[in-house]
């Protein structure tokens, strides 16, 4: 499908009418983009991978990866989206044609669509876990009662195992997340996404600050958590840790799957892409570090391991909550926070696919959101049933949940980031980039372009080659 010349001209000029309007302000865009970046990666994944890879040394490497690799790609995605003023598929093709390059660059947009389908299908399953645990906390199933810590650990481990073994509960959680995601995206940019994130993102920060204060005042281990997160012990760091940090920089910033490109396509021309991207990355990183400061004091207070893997949030942490004063109230707030963080990301993953369908076939947004959302909901049965009914179904030795996770985090996201960096760094004209970048300091633009052209491709290619 090629781009009509009139549509192309209007798109590059920024006059193409968007069916769903645009962001009302720079703040609205930052909240939406930050909500996309702030998700399960910050709260579920970051603490346990930091725990598994030595704490402070890993955090330092992660911050370098965010600044040198993740942030340049984030800027590129937003810039391409605003320049093209369409769905990722449309604007990538339009910009390539306008600069005299092959339309085959459109593969970046298609890769993003495939990535969105796969990520949302298993991400919504994990988001459903947080809803289940929110109910467990409200219902008192996480309470310790008269049992010892060992008994609590065994009981809560069995509770998590029981959740994974229950196809009904997993499908119910997955369905609730997808239904909420479809409903928000169907409302469009201002009435749907913007209205939702204006509530969710401030709520996220409010809940997280309450949890950090709680951890700091009830556990007596806040100082130990600060040392663990911010005192680097490079003897605990391996090359594999560096690769994990780099891969997580992609996952947590939502880059490589064109979600930020879709959000950027609605951004006003007078907003600085550079400054805005720094604000988004800063908010995302702040949440990840605050999540660590909320979680690790609670874990350390009970002599539990910070390297408990994915079970850190759903097994280890509930054991600690069960024995702390006011622990059940804190557990309710924590899993509410986790659910909101997940939903703020799922809507951004669905958005680029809905944009494409809306623009390509002229479908109304509610119809597009429902059709695509239902397709992803059906695909999500694979990851949900991978823990129980379909546990024997293996592809490359992986169940469907682990397969989708591996394909996206180890292959499609890094590949998408690599292609976006090469496309923006080499295919798009320097003048176009400079115009959209929006910074009056040429040195900052030049530094970003050098990172995009030379540092990012080497770093991302290394991740892909060593996976």
């Amino acid at each position: 499908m090629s781009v009509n010349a009139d549509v192309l001209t209007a798109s590059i000029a920024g006059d193409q009418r968007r069916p769903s309007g645009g962001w009302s302000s720079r703040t609205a865009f930052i909240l939406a983009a930050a909500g996309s970046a702030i998700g399960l990666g910050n709260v579920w994944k970051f603490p346990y991978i930091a725990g598994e890879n030595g704490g402070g040394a890993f955090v330092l490497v992660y911050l370098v990866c965010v600044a040198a690799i993740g942030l340049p790609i984030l800027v590129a995605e937003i810039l391409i989206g605003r320049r093209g003023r369409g769905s990722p598929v449309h604007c990538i093709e339009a910009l390539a044609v306008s600069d005299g390059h092959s339309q085959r660059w459109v593969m970046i947009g298609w890769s993003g669509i495939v990535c969105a389908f796969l990520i949302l299908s298993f991400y919504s399953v994990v988001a459903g876990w947080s809803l289940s645990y929110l109910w467990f906390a409200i219902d008192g199933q996480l309470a310790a009662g008269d049992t010892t810590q060992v008994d609590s650990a065994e009981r809560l481990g069995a509770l998590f195992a029981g959740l994974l073994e229950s196809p009904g509960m997993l499908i119910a959680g997955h369905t609730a997340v997808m239904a909420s995601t479809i409903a928000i995206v169907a409302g469009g940019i201002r009435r749907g996404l913007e209205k939702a994130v204006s509530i969710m993102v401030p709520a996220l920060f409010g809940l997280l600050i309450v949890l950090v204060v709680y951890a700091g005042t009830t556990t007596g281990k806040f100082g130990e958590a600060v040392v663990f997160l911010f005192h680097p012990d490079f003897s605990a760091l391996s090359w594999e840790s560096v690769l994990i940090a780099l891969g997580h920089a992609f996952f947590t910033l939502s880059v490589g799957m064109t979600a930020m490109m879709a959000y950027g396509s609605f951004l006003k021309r007078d907003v600085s892409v550079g400054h805005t991207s720094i604000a988004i990355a800063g908010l995302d990183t702040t949440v990840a570090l605050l999540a660590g400061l909320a979680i690790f004091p609670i874990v350390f207070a009970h002599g539990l391991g910070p390297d408990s893997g994915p079970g850190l949030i759903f097994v280890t942490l509930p054991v600690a909550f069960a024995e702390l004063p006011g622990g059940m109230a804190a557990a309710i707030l924590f899993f509410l926070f986790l659910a909101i963080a997940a939903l703020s990301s799922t809507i951004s993953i669905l958005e680029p696919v809905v944009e494409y369908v809306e623009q390509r076939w002229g479908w109304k947004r509610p119809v597009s959101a429902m059709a695509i959302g239902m397709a992803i909901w059906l695909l999500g049965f694979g990851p949900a049933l991978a823990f129980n009914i379909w546990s024997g179904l293996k592809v490359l030795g992986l169940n469907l949940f682990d397969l989708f996770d591996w394909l996206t985090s180890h292959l499609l996201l890094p590949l998408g980031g690599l292609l976006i960096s090469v496309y923006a760094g080499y295919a798009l004209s320097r003048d176009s980039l400079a115009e959209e970048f929006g910074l009056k300091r040429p040195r900052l633009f030049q530094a970003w372009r050098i990172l995009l052209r030379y540092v990012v491709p080497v770093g991302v290619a290394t991740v892909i080659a060593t996976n």
Side-chain angles (χ1 to χ4, degrees):
M1 192 263 317
S2 61
V3 180
N4 178 276
D6 293 334
V7 174
L8 171 63
T9 302
S11 174
I12 303 303
D15 297 327
Q16 185 178 8
R17 294 189 177 276
R18 305 306 310 276
S20 303
W23 305 108
S24 63
S25 65
R26 176 178 180 267
T27 300
F29 172 74
I30 290 176
L31 288 176
S36 173
I38 298 167
L40 295 176
N42 300 77
V43 189
W44 167 59
K45 200 169 185 178
F46 178 78
Y48 86 72
I49 60 176
E52 290 178 333
N53 293 278
F58 176 84
V59 170
L60 182 60
V61 172
Y62 166 73
L63 293 176
V64 172
C65 290
V66 167
I69 306 293
L71 182 57
I73 299 175
L74 175 63
V75 171
E77 281 207 33
I78 296 173
L79 185 150
I80 292 169
R82 188 171 71 174
R83 188 72 175 173
R85 310 302 284 183
S87 73
V89 172
H90 287 86
C91 70
I92 288 172
E93 186 178 17
L95 293 177
V97 171
S98 71
D99 282 339
H101 296 290
S102 171
Q103 294 183 17
R104 292 177 182 175
W105 284 108
V106 78
M107 73 176 70
I108 299 174
W110 287 114
S111 173
I113 286 178
V114 173
C115 202
F117 263 84
L118 293 177
I119 288 180
L120 190 49
S121 69
F122 76 83
Y123 192 95
S124 61
V125 173
V126 180
W129 299 352
S130 64
L131 292 179
S132 296
Y133 268 74
L134 176 59
W135 170 247
F136 293 159
I138 294 172
D139 194 42
Q141 295 185 55
L142 301 186
D146 297 326
T147 60
T148 65
Q149 186 182 103
V150 173
D151 291 335
S152 291
E154 291 179 353
R155 182 178 62 81
L156 292 171
L159 182 66
F160 184 55
L163 172 63
L164 297 185
E165 291 168 2
S166 172
M169 292 186 68
L170 293 183
I171 294 297
H174 166 59
T175 301
V177 172
M178 286 306 304
S180 301
T181 302
I182 291 169
I184 293 172
V185 174
I189 293 297
R190 292 199 183 183
R191 291 186 295 109
L193 280 79
E194 184 173 318
K195 184 176 291 186
V197 297
S198 67
I199 298 172
M200 288 192 292
V201 176
L204 284 175
F205 277 93
L207 288 170
L208 188 54
I209 290 171
V210 169
L211 288 167
V212 171
V213 171
Y214 172 82
T217 56
T218 62
T219 64
K221 295 292 184 177
F222 192 77
E224 187 175 334
V226 170
V227 171
F228 178 75
L229 276 173
F230 298 108
H231 178 72
D233 176 12
F234 290 101
S235 65
L237 197 66
S238 65
W239 176 242
E240 183 180 359
S241 301
V242 174
L243 295 177
I244 291 172
L246 181 53
H248 189 64
F250 279 94
F251 191 87
T252 189
L253 285 177
S254 292
V255 295
M257 61 178 171
T258 70
M260 291 301 186
M261 204 179 293
Y263 275 11
S265 69
F266 294 98
L267 185 62
K268 293 180 179 179
R269 293 288 185 189
D270 59 352
V271 175
S272 166
V273 173
H275 287 156
T276 301
S277 299
I278 292 171
I280 295 165
L283 288 173
D284 176 71
T285 303
T286 299
V287 167
L289 296 176
L290 287 175
L293 292 176
I295 291 169
F296 288 126
I298 297 171
V299 172
F300 292 150
H302 295 276
L304 301 171
D307 55 348
S308 305
L312 176 67
I313 299 301
F314 296 104
V315 179
T316 305
L317 199 59
V319 171
F321 276 135
E323 300 185 5
L324 283 169
M328 285 305 95
I332 291 171
L333 292 179
F334 178 80
F335 288 110
L336 176 61
F337 167 78
L338 197 62
I340 294 173
L343 187 59
S344 70
S345 294
T346 59
I347 58 178
S348 72
I349 300 172
L350 183 59
E351 175 62 27
V353 191
V354 170
E355 272 194 43
Y356 172 75
V357 171
E358 190 181 21
Q359 194 170 0
R360 174 67 178 86
W361 287 295
W363 292 6
K364 298 293 184 181
R365 175 160 280 248
V367 176
S368 302
M370 179 63 72
I372 299 302
M374 286 292 291
I376 295 175
W377 175 73
L378 289 172
L379 184 63
F381 275 58
L385 301 181
F387 298 102
N388 38 75
I389 296 175
W390 291 349
S391 60
L393 178 59
K394 306 285 186 179
V395 179
L396 302 176
L398 302 172
N399 67 31
L400 292 179
F401 183 96
D402 292 334
L403 177 67
F404 286 10
D405 185 14
W406 184 87
L407 284 174
T408 53
S409 61
H410 291 268
L411 183 61
L412 289 177
L413 285 177
L415 181 60
L418 177 62
L419 291 174
I420 288 168
S421 66
V422 173
Y423 174 74
Y426 293 94
L428 297 185
S429 70
R430 187 184 185 284
D431 291 342
S432 296
L433 294 173
E435 181 182 345
E436 289 296 331
F437 196 74
L439 279 176
K440 296 180 180 179
R441 299 184 181 92
R443 290 182 180 178
L444 289 178
F445 169 74
Q446 189 62 30
W448 167 73
R449 195 157 180 260
I450 289 172
L451 288 172
L452 197 68
R453 288 166 66 94
Y454 305 110
V455 176
V456 172
V458 172
V460 179
T462 301
V463 170
I464 295 174
T466 53
N467 276 327

